[in-house]
Coordinates of all heavy atoms in Angstrom, one line a residue:
M1 N 4.1 -27.6 -18.6 CA 2.7 -28.1 -18.3 C 1.8 -26.9 -18.1 O 2.1 -26.0 -17.3 CB 2.8 -28.9 -17.0 CG 1.4 -29.4 -16.6 SD 1.7 -30.5 -15.1 CE 0.0 -30.9 -14.8
P2 N 0.8 -26.8 -18.9 CA -0.1 -25.6 -18.9 C -1.0 -25.7 -17.6 O -1.4 -26.7 -17.1 CB -1.0 -25.8 -20.1 CG -1.0 -27.2 -20.4 CD 0.4 -27.7 -20.0
R3 N -1.2 -24.5 -17.1 CA -2.0 -24.3 -15.9 C -3.5 -24.5 -16.3 O -3.9 -24.1 -17.3 CB -1.8 -23.0 -15.2 CG -0.5 -22.8 -14.6 CD -0.4 -21.6 -13.8 NE -0.3 -20.4 -14.7 CZ -0.4 -19.2 -14.3 NH1 -0.5 -18.9 -13.0 NH2 -0.3 -18.2 -15.2
P4 N -4.3 -25.1 -15.4 CA -5.7 -25.2 -15.7 C -6.4 -23.8 -15.7 O -6.0 -23.0 -14.9 CB -6.2 -26.1 -14.6 CG -5.2 -26.0 -13.5 CD -3.9 -25.7 -14.1
A5 N -7.3 -23.7 -16.6 CA -8.0 -22.4 -16.7 C -8.9 -22.2 -15.5 O -9.5 -23.1 -15.0 CB -8.9 -22.4 -17.9
V6 N -8.8 -20.9 -14.9 CA -9.6 -20.6 -13.8 C -11.0 -20.2 -14.2 O -11.2 -19.4 -15.1 CB -9.0 -19.4 -13.0 CG1 -9.9 -19.0 -11.8 CG2 -7.6 -19.8 -12.5
T7 N -12.0 -21.0 -13.8 CA -13.3 -20.6 -14.1 C -14.0 -20.0 -12.9 O -13.8 -20.3 -11.8 CB -14.1 -21.9 -14.6 OG1 -14.1 -22.8 -13.5 CG2 -13.5 -22.5 -15.8
I8 N -14.9 -19.1 -13.2 CA -15.7 -18.4 -12.2 C -17.1 -18.5 -12.5 O -17.5 -18.3 -13.7 CB -15.2 -16.9 -12.0 CG1 -15.9 -16.3 -10.8 CG2 -15.4 -16.1 -13.3 CD1 -15.3 -15.0 -10.4
D9 N -17.9 -18.8 -11.5 CA -19.3 -18.9 -11.7 C -19.9 -17.5 -11.9 O -19.5 -16.5 -11.3 CB -19.9 -19.6 -10.5 CG -21.4 -19.9 -10.6 OD1 -21.9 -19.8 -11.7 OD2 -22.0 -20.2 -9.6
E10 N -21.0 -17.4 -12.6 CA -21.7 -16.1 -12.9 C -22.2 -15.5 -11.5 O -22.0 -14.3 -11.3 CB -22.9 -16.3 -13.8 CG -23.5 -15.0 -14.2 CD -24.6 -15.2 -15.2 OE1 -24.6 -16.2 -16.0 OE2 -25.6 -14.4 -15.2
Q11 N -22.7 -16.3 -10.7 CA -23.2 -15.8 -9.4 C -22.1 -15.4 -8.5 O -22.2 -14.4 -7.8 CB -24.0 -16.9 -8.7 CG -25.4 -17.1 -9.4 CD -26.2 -18.2 -8.6 OE1 -25.7 -18.9 -7.8 NE2 -27.5 -18.2 -9.0
D12 N -20.9 -16.1 -8.6 CA -19.8 -15.6 -7.8 C -19.3 -14.3 -8.3 O -18.9 -13.4 -7.5 CB -18.6 -16.7 -7.9 CG -19.0 -17.9 -7.2 OD1 -19.9 -17.9 -6.3 OD2 -18.4 -19.0 -7.5
L13 N -19.3 -14.1 -9.6 CA -18.9 -12.8 -10.2 C -19.8 -11.7 -9.7 O -19.3 -10.6 -9.4 CB -18.8 -12.9 -11.7 CG -18.5 -11.6 -12.4 CD1 -17.1 -11.2 -12.1 CD2 -18.6 -11.8 -13.9
E14 N -21.1 -12.0 -9.8 CA -22.1 -10.9 -9.3 C -21.8 -10.6 -7.9 O -21.8 -9.4 -7.5 CB -23.5 -11.5 -9.5 CG -23.9 -11.5 -10.9 CD -25.3 -12.1 -11.1 OE1 -25.9 -12.5 -10.1 OE2 -25.8 -12.2 -12.2
R15 N -21.6 -11.6 -7.0 CA -21.4 -11.3 -5.6 C -20.1 -10.5 -5.4 O -20.0 -9.6 -4.6 CB -21.3 -12.6 -4.8 CG -22.6 -13.0 -4.3 CD -22.5 -14.2 -3.4 NE -23.4 -15.2 -3.9 CZ -23.1 -16.4 -4.3 NH1 -21.8 -16.8 -4.3 NH2 -24.0 -17.2 -4.8
A16 N -19.1 -10.9 -6.1 CA -17.8 -10.2 -6.0 C -17.9 -8.7 -6.4 O -17.4 -7.8 -5.8 CB -16.7 -10.9 -6.8
L17 N -18.6 -8.5 -7.5 CA -18.8 -7.1 -8.0 C -19.7 -6.3 -7.0 O -19.4 -5.1 -6.8 CB -19.5 -7.1 -9.4 CG -18.6 -7.6 -10.5 CD1 -19.4 -7.7 -11.8 CD2 -17.4 -6.7 -10.7
L18 N -20.7 -6.9 -6.4 CA -21.6 -6.2 -5.5 C -20.7 -5.9 -4.2 O -20.8 -4.8 -3.7 CB -22.7 -7.1 -5.1 CG -23.7 -6.6 -4.1 CD1 -24.4 -5.3 -4.6 CD2 -24.7 -7.6 -3.7
R19 N -20.0 -6.8 -3.7 CA -19.1 -6.5 -2.5 C -18.2 -5.4 -2.8 O -18.0 -4.5 -2.0 CB -18.4 -7.8 -2.1 CG -19.2 -8.8 -1.4 CD -18.4 -9.9 -0.8 NE -19.3 -10.9 -0.3 CZ -19.2 -12.2 -0.7 NH1 -18.3 -12.6 -1.5 NH2 -20.1 -13.1 -0.2
K20 N -17.6 -5.4 -4.0 CA -16.6 -4.4 -4.3 C -17.3 -3.0 -4.4 O -16.8 -2.0 -3.9 CB -16.0 -4.7 -5.7 CG -14.9 -3.7 -6.1 CD -14.3 -4.2 -7.4 CE -13.2 -3.2 -7.8 NZ -12.6 -3.5 -9.1
S21 N -18.5 -2.9 -5.0 CA -19.1 -1.6 -5.1 C -19.7 -1.1 -3.8 O -19.6 0.1 -3.5 CB -20.3 -1.7 -6.1 OG -21.3 -2.6 -5.7
V22 N -20.2 -2.0 -3.0 CA -20.6 -1.6 -1.6 C -19.5 -1.1 -0.8 O -19.5 -0.1 -0.1 CB -21.4 -2.7 -0.9 CG1 -21.7 -2.4 0.5 CG2 -22.7 -3.0 -1.7
G23 N -18.4 -1.8 -0.9 CA -17.2 -1.4 -0.1 C -16.7 0.0 -0.6 O -16.2 0.8 0.2
A24 N -16.7 0.2 -1.9 CA -16.3 1.5 -2.4 C -17.2 2.6 -2.0 O -16.8 3.7 -1.7 CB -16.3 1.5 -4.0
L25 N -18.5 2.4 -1.8 CA -19.4 3.4 -1.4 C -19.2 3.7 0.1 O -19.3 4.8 0.5 CB -20.9 2.9 -1.6 CG -21.4 2.9 -3.0 CD1 -22.8 2.3 -3.0 CD2 -21.5 4.3 -3.5
S26 N -18.9 2.7 0.9 CA -18.8 2.9 2.3 C -17.5 3.5 2.7 O -17.3 4.0 3.8 CB -19.1 1.6 3.1 OG -18.1 0.7 2.8
D27 N -16.5 3.5 1.8 CA -15.2 4.0 2.2 C -15.2 5.5 2.5 O -14.6 6.0 3.4 CB -14.2 3.8 1.0 CG -13.7 2.3 1.0 OD1 -14.0 1.6 2.0 OD2 -13.1 1.9 0.0
G28 N -15.9 6.3 1.7 CA -15.9 7.8 1.8 C -17.1 8.3 2.7 O -17.3 9.5 2.7
R29 N -17.8 7.4 3.4 CA -18.9 7.8 4.2 C -18.6 8.0 5.6 O -17.8 7.3 6.2 CB -20.0 6.7 4.0 CG -21.3 7.1 4.4 CD -22.4 6.1 4.1 NE -21.9 4.8 3.6 CZ -22.6 3.9 3.1 NH1 -23.9 4.1 3.1 NH2 -22.2 2.8 2.7
H30 N -19.2 9.0 6.2 CA -19.1 9.2 7.7 C -19.9 8.2 8.4 O -20.9 7.7 7.9 CB -19.6 10.6 8.1 CG -18.8 11.7 7.5 ND1 -17.6 12.1 7.9 CD2 -19.1 12.6 6.5 CE1 -17.1 13.1 7.3 NE2 -18.1 13.4 6.4
A31 N -19.4 7.8 9.6 CA -20.2 6.9 10.4 C -20.0 7.3 11.9 O -18.9 7.8 12.3 CB -19.7 5.5 10.2
C32 N -21.0 7.2 12.7 CA -20.9 7.6 14.1 C -20.1 6.6 14.8 O -20.2 5.4 14.6 CB -22.3 7.6 14.7 SG -22.4 7.9 16.4
T33 N -19.2 7.1 15.7 CA -18.3 6.2 16.4 C -19.1 5.3 17.4 O -18.8 4.2 17.7 CB -17.3 7.0 17.1 OG1 -16.6 7.8 16.2 CG2 -16.3 6.1 17.9
D34 N -20.1 5.9 18.0 CA -20.9 5.2 19.1 C -21.9 4.2 18.5 O -21.9 3.1 19.0 CB -21.6 6.2 20.0 CG -20.6 7.1 20.8 OD1 -19.4 6.7 20.7 OD2 -21.1 8.0 21.4
C35 N -22.7 4.6 17.6 CA -23.8 3.7 17.1 C -23.5 3.1 15.7 O -24.2 2.2 15.3 CB -25.1 4.4 17.1 SG -25.3 5.7 15.9
G36 N -22.5 3.7 15.0 CA -22.2 3.1 13.7 C -23.2 3.6 12.6 O -23.0 3.2 11.4
R37 N -24.1 4.4 12.9 CA -25.1 4.9 12.0 C -24.5 5.9 11.0 O -23.6 6.7 11.4 CB -26.3 5.5 12.7 CG -27.4 6.0 11.9 CD -28.5 6.5 12.7 NE -28.1 7.8 13.4 CZ -28.3 9.0 12.8 NH1 -28.9 9.1 11.6 NH2 -27.9 10.1 13.4
T38 N -24.9 5.9 9.7 CA -24.5 6.9 8.8 C -25.4 8.1 8.9 O -26.6 7.9 8.8 CB -24.6 6.3 7.4 OG1 -23.8 5.2 7.2 CG2 -24.2 7.3 6.3
P39 N -24.8 9.2 9.2 CA -25.7 10.4 9.5 C -26.3 10.9 8.2 O -25.8 10.7 7.1 CB -24.7 11.5 10.0 CG -23.4 11.0 9.5 CD -23.4 9.5 9.4
L40 N -27.5 11.5 8.3 CA -28.2 12.0 7.1 C -27.6 13.4 6.7 O -26.9 14.1 7.4 CB -29.7 12.3 7.5 CG -30.4 11.0 8.0 CD1 -31.8 11.4 8.5 CD2 -30.5 10.0 6.9
V41 N -27.9 13.7 5.4 CA -27.4 15.0 4.9 C -28.1 16.1 5.7 O -29.3 16.0 5.9 CB -27.8 15.1 3.4 CG1 -27.5 16.4 2.8 CG2 -27.0 14.0 2.6
G42 N -27.3 17.1 6.1 CA -27.8 18.2 6.9 C -27.7 18.0 8.4 O -27.8 18.9 9.1
E43 N -27.4 16.8 8.8 CA -27.2 16.5 10.2 C -25.8 17.0 10.6 O -24.9 17.2 9.8 CB -27.3 15.0 10.4 CG -27.3 14.5 11.9 CD -27.6 13.0 12.0 OE1 -28.2 12.4 11.1 OE2 -27.2 12.5 13.0
T44 N -25.7 17.3 11.9 CA -24.4 17.7 12.4 C -23.6 16.6 13.1 O -24.2 15.8 13.9 CB -24.6 18.9 13.5 OG1 -25.4 19.9 12.9 CG2 -23.3 19.4 14.0
L45 N -22.3 16.5 12.8 CA -21.4 15.6 13.4 C -20.6 16.3 14.4 O -20.1 17.4 14.1 CB -20.5 14.9 12.4 CG -21.1 13.8 11.5 CD1 -20.1 13.3 10.6 CD2 -21.6 12.7 12.4
Y46 N -20.4 15.8 15.6 CA -19.5 16.4 16.6 C -18.3 15.6 16.8 O -18.3 14.3 16.7 CB -20.3 16.4 17.9 CG -21.6 17.2 17.8 CD1 -22.8 16.6 17.5 CD2 -21.6 18.6 17.9 CE1 -24.0 17.3 17.4 CE2 -22.7 19.3 17.8 CZ -23.9 18.7 17.5 OH -25.1 19.4 17.4
R47 N -17.2 16.3 17.0 CA -15.9 15.6 17.2 C -15.4 15.9 18.7 O -15.4 17.0 19.1 CB -14.9 16.1 16.2 CG -15.2 15.7 14.8 CD -14.1 15.9 13.9 NE -14.5 15.7 12.5 CZ -14.6 14.5 11.9 NH1 -14.3 13.4 12.6 NH2 -15.0 14.4 10.7
F48 N -15.1 14.8 19.3 CA -14.6 14.8 20.7 C -13.2 14.3 20.8 O -13.0 13.3 21.4 CB -15.5 13.9 21.6 CG -16.9 14.4 21.7 CD1 -17.9 14.0 20.8 CD2 -17.3 15.3 22.8 CE1 -19.2 14.5 20.9 CE2 -18.6 15.8 22.9 CZ -19.5 15.4 22.0
G49 N -12.3 15.0 20.2 CA -10.9 14.5 20.3 C -10.7 13.3 19.5 O -11.6 12.5 19.2
A50 N -9.5 13.1 19.1 CA -9.0 11.9 18.3 C -9.8 11.8 17.0 O -9.7 10.7 16.3 CB -9.2 10.6 19.1
G51 N -10.5 12.8 16.6 CA -11.2 12.8 15.3 C -12.3 11.9 15.1 O -12.8 11.6 14.0
S52 N -12.8 11.3 16.2 CA -13.9 10.3 16.0 C -15.3 11.1 16.0 O -15.6 11.7 17.0 CB -13.9 9.3 17.2 OG -13.9 10.0 18.4
P53 N -16.0 11.0 14.9 CA -17.3 11.7 14.9 C -18.4 11.0 15.6 O -18.5 9.8 15.7 CB -17.6 11.8 13.3 CG -16.9 10.6 12.8 CD -15.7 10.3 13.7
V54 N -19.3 11.8 16.2 CA -20.5 11.3 16.9 C -21.7 12.0 16.3 O -21.7 13.2 16.1 CB -20.3 11.6 18.4 CG1 -21.6 11.2 19.2 CG2 -19.1 11.0 19.0
C55 N -22.7 11.3 16.1 CA -24.0 11.8 15.5 C -24.8 12.6 16.5 O -24.5 12.6 17.7 CB -24.8 10.7 14.9 SG -25.6 9.6 16.0
E56 N -25.8 13.3 16.0 CA -26.7 14.1 16.8 C -27.4 13.3 17.9 O -27.7 13.8 19.0 CB -27.7 14.9 16.0 CG -27.0 16.0 15.2 CD -28.1 16.9 14.5 OE1 -29.3 16.6 14.6 OE2 -27.7 17.7 13.7
L57 N -27.8 12.1 17.5 CA -28.5 11.2 18.5 C -27.6 10.8 19.6 O -28.1 10.6 20.7 CB -29.1 10.0 17.7 CG -30.1 10.3 16.6 CD1 -30.5 9.0 15.9 CD2 -31.3 11.1 17.1
C58 N -26.4 10.6 19.4 CA -25.4 10.1 20.4 C -24.8 11.3 21.2 O -24.2 11.1 22.2 CB -24.4 9.2 19.8 SG -25.0 7.7 19.1
R59 N -24.9 12.5 20.7 CA -24.3 13.7 21.3 C -24.7 13.9 22.7 O -23.9 14.1 23.6 CB -24.6 14.9 20.4 CG -24.4 16.2 21.1 CD -22.9 16.6 21.3 NE -22.8 17.8 22.0 CZ -22.7 18.0 23.3 NH1 -22.8 16.9 24.1 NH2 -22.5 19.2 23.8
P60 N -26.0 13.7 23.1 CA -26.4 14.0 24.5 C -25.8 12.9 25.4 O -25.8 13.2 26.7 CB -27.9 13.8 24.4 CG -28.3 14.1 23.0 CD -27.2 13.6 22.2
L61 N -25.3 11.8 24.9 CA -24.8 10.8 25.8 C -23.4 11.1 26.3 O -22.8 10.5 27.2 CB -24.8 9.4 25.1 CG -26.1 8.9 24.6 CD1 -26.0 7.6 23.8 CD2 -27.1 8.8 25.8
R62 N -22.8 12.1 25.7 CA -21.4 12.6 26.0 C -21.5 13.8 27.0 O -22.3 14.7 26.7 CB -20.6 13.0 24.8 CG -20.5 11.9 23.8 CD -19.2 11.2 23.9 NE -19.0 10.1 23.0 CZ -17.9 9.9 22.3 NH1 -16.9 10.7 22.5 NH2 -17.9 8.9 21.4
R63 N -20.7 13.8 28.0 CA -20.7 14.9 28.9 C -19.9 16.1 28.5 O -20.1 17.2 28.8 CB -20.3 14.5 30.3 CG -21.3 13.5 30.9 CD -20.8 13.2 32.3 NE -21.8 12.2 32.9 CZ -21.7 11.7 34.1 NH1 -20.7 12.0 34.8 NH2 -22.6 10.8 34.5
D64 N -18.8 15.8 27.8 CA -17.8 16.8 27.3 C -18.4 17.7 26.2 O -19.4 17.3 25.6 CB -16.6 16.2 26.8 CG -15.9 15.2 27.8 OD1 -16.2 15.4 29.0 OD2 -15.1 14.4 27.4
E65 N -17.9 18.9 26.1 CA -18.2 19.7 25.0 C -17.5 19.3 23.8 O -16.3 18.9 23.9 CB -17.9 21.2 25.3 CG -18.9 21.8 26.3 CD -20.3 21.9 25.8 OE1 -20.4 22.3 24.6 OE2 -21.2 21.6 26.5
P66 N -18.1 19.3 22.6 CA -17.3 18.8 21.4 C -16.3 19.9 21.0 O -16.4 21.1 21.3 CB -18.4 18.8 20.3 CG -19.5 19.6 20.8 CD -19.4 19.6 22.3
L67 N -15.2 19.3 20.5 CA -14.1 20.2 20.0 C -14.5 21.0 18.8 O -14.2 22.1 18.6 CB -12.8 19.4 19.7 CG -12.2 18.7 20.9 CD1 -11.0 17.9 20.5 CD2 -11.8 19.7 22.0
E68 N -15.3 20.3 17.9 CA -15.7 21.0 16.7 C -17.0 20.2 16.2 O -17.3 19.1 16.6 CB -14.7 21.0 15.6 CG -14.2 19.7 15.2 CD -13.2 19.8 14.1 OE1 -12.6 20.8 13.8 OE2 -12.9 18.7 13.5
S69 N -17.7 20.9 15.4 CA -18.9 20.3 14.8 C -18.8 20.5 13.3 O -18.2 21.4 12.8 CB -20.2 20.9 15.3 OG -20.3 22.2 15.1
E70 N -19.5 19.6 12.5 CA -19.4 19.7 11.1 C -20.8 19.3 10.5 O -21.4 18.3 11.0 CB -18.3 18.7 10.6 CG -18.3 18.4 9.2 CD -17.3 17.3 8.9 OE1 -16.7 16.7 9.8 OE2 -17.1 16.9 7.7
R71 N -21.2 20.0 9.6 CA -22.5 19.7 8.9 C -22.2 18.6 7.8 O -21.3 18.7 7.1 CB -23.1 21.0 8.3 CG -24.4 20.8 7.6 CD -25.6 20.8 8.5 NE -25.6 22.0 9.3 CZ -26.5 22.3 10.1 NH1 -27.5 21.5 10.3 NH2 -26.5 23.4 10.9
V72 N -23.1 17.6 7.8 CA -22.9 16.6 6.7 C -23.5 17.1 5.4 O -24.6 17.6 5.4 CB -23.7 15.3 7.1 CG1 -23.6 14.3 6.0 CG2 -23.1 14.7 8.4
R73 N -22.6 17.2 4.4 CA -23.0 17.7 3.1 C -23.3 16.5 2.2 O -22.9 15.4 2.4 CB -21.8 18.5 2.5 CG -21.3 19.6 3.4 CD -22.3 20.7 3.4 NE -21.7 21.8 4.1 CZ -22.3 23.0 4.3 NH1 -23.5 23.2 3.8 NH2 -21.7 23.9 5.0
H74 N -24.1 16.9 1.1 CA -24.3 15.9 0.1 C -23.0 15.6 -0.6 O -22.1 16.4 -0.7 CB -25.3 16.6 -0.9 CG -25.9 15.6 -1.9 ND1 -25.3 15.4 -3.1 CD2 -27.0 14.8 -1.8 CE1 -26.0 14.5 -3.8 NE2 -27.0 14.1 -3.0
S75 N -23.0 14.4 -1.2 CA -21.7 14.0 -1.8 C -21.3 14.8 -3.0 O -20.2 14.9 -3.4 CB -21.9 12.5 -2.3 OG -22.9 12.4 -3.3
E76 N -22.3 15.5 -3.6 CA -22.0 16.4 -4.7 C -21.7 17.9 -4.3 O -21.6 18.7 -5.1 CB -23.1 16.3 -5.8 CG -23.2 15.0 -6.4 CD -24.3 14.9 -7.4 OE1 -25.0 16.0 -7.7 OE2 -24.6 13.8 -7.9
Y77 N -21.7 18.1 -3.0 CA -21.4 19.4 -2.5 C -20.1 19.9 -3.0 O -19.1 19.3 -2.9 CB -21.4 19.5 -1.0 CG -21.2 20.8 -0.4 CD1 -22.2 21.8 -0.4 CD2 -19.9 21.2 0.1 CE1 -21.9 23.0 0.1 CE2 -19.7 22.4 0.6 CZ -20.7 23.4 0.6 OH -20.4 24.6 1.1
G78 N -20.1 21.2 -3.6 CA -18.9 21.7 -4.1 C -18.7 21.4 -5.6 O -17.9 22.1 -6.2
N79 N -19.4 20.5 -6.1 CA -19.3 20.1 -7.5 C -20.4 20.7 -8.4 O -20.4 20.6 -9.6 CB -19.3 18.6 -7.7 CG -18.1 18.0 -7.1 OD1 -17.0 18.6 -7.0 ND2 -18.2 16.8 -6.6
A80 N -21.4 21.3 -7.8 CA -22.5 21.9 -8.5 C -22.2 23.2 -9.2 O -21.3 23.9 -8.8 CB -23.7 22.1 -7.6
V81 N -22.9 23.5 -10.3 CA -22.6 24.7 -11.0 C -23.5 25.8 -10.3 O -24.6 25.6 -10.0 CB -23.1 24.6 -12.5 CG1 -23.0 25.9 -13.2 CG2 -22.3 23.5 -13.1
R82 N -22.8 26.9 -10.0 CA -23.5 28.0 -9.4 C -23.5 29.2 -10.3 O -22.6 29.5 -11.0 CB -22.8 28.4 -8.1 CG -22.8 27.3 -7.1 CD -22.1 27.8 -5.9 NE -22.0 26.6 -4.9 CZ -21.2 26.5 -3.9 NH1 -20.4 27.5 -3.7 NH2 -21.2 25.5 -3.2
V83 N -24.6 29.9 -10.2 CA -24.8 31.2 -11.0 C -24.2 32.3 -10.2 O -24.5 32.5 -9.0 CB -26.3 31.4 -11.3 CG1 -26.4 32.8 -12.1 CG2 -26.8 30.3 -12.1
R84 N -23.3 33.0 -10.8 CA -22.6 34.2 -10.1 C -23.2 35.4 -10.7 O -23.1 35.6 -11.9 CB -21.1 34.1 -10.3 CG -20.5 33.1 -9.5 CD -19.0 33.2 -9.5 NE -18.5 32.7 -8.3 CZ -17.2 32.8 -8.0 NH1 -16.4 33.4 -8.8 NH2 -16.8 32.3 -6.8
R85 N -23.7 36.3 -9.8 CA -24.2 37.6 -10.3 C -23.2 38.6 -10.0 O -22.7 38.8 -8.9 CB -25.5 37.9 -9.6 CG -26.6 36.8 -9.8 CD -27.9 37.2 -9.2 NE -28.8 36.1 -9.1 CZ -29.5 35.7 -10.1 NH1 -29.5 36.4 -11.2 NH2 -30.3 34.7 -10.0
V86 N -22.8 39.3 -11.1 CA -21.7 40.3 -11.0 C -22.3 41.7 -10.9 O -23.3 42.0 -11.4 CB -20.8 40.2 -12.2 CG1 -19.6 41.2 -12.1 CG2 -20.2 38.8 -12.3
Ligands
LIG1 ZN1 -24.6 7.8 16.8

């Protein structure tokens, strides 16, 4: 007995593709542990143990000193062509 063909609506397909692409974009992005905001390029992220990053706006709310800080780079950082002068 043949299985019935699965049909998908065009709008359902668009929604599924949009969800997939948004999910792929947010996977590699930093987010503040306290407020959930995505920090801007050039902003500093602070780590207070357990590797959870905190943004510059939430940093004053913590009393401890951060273990380390990290500058937020553009997604293409390290992939750009650089001129080397010898
Ligand atoms: Zn924050």
Side-chain angles (χ1 to χ4, degrees):
M1 179 174 176
R3 289 189 290 173
V6 177
T7 59
I8 185 167
D9 187 12
E10 184 177 335
Q11 291 181 344
D12 291 340
L13 177 61
E14 287 176 1
R15 267 187 237 120
L17 291 173
L18 179 64
R19 284 190 187 124
K20 184 178 178 182
S21 63
V22 169
L25 286 175
S26 63
D27 283 347
R29 198 171 5 189
H30 295 286
C32 175
T33 303
D34 292 352
C35 67
R37 185 178 69 88
T38 300
L40 301 173
V41 172
E43 192 173 333
T44 303
L45 282 178
Y46 301 94
R47 295 194 188 277
F48 293 89
S52 55
V54 176
C55 72
E56 286 185 7
L57 299 177
C58 296
R59 162 71 182 92
L61 302 176
R62 302 263 180 137
R63 292 184 180 178
D64 304 339
E65 286 296 316
L67 297 177
E68 63 180 10
S69 62
E70 166 189 4
R71 180 82 55 179
V72 176
R73 305 285 185 182
H74 190 270
S75 62
E76 295 180 2
Y77 179 76
N79 295 330
V81 176
R82 296 182 186 162
V83 177
R84 289 189 149 186
R85 302 186 192 275
V86 182

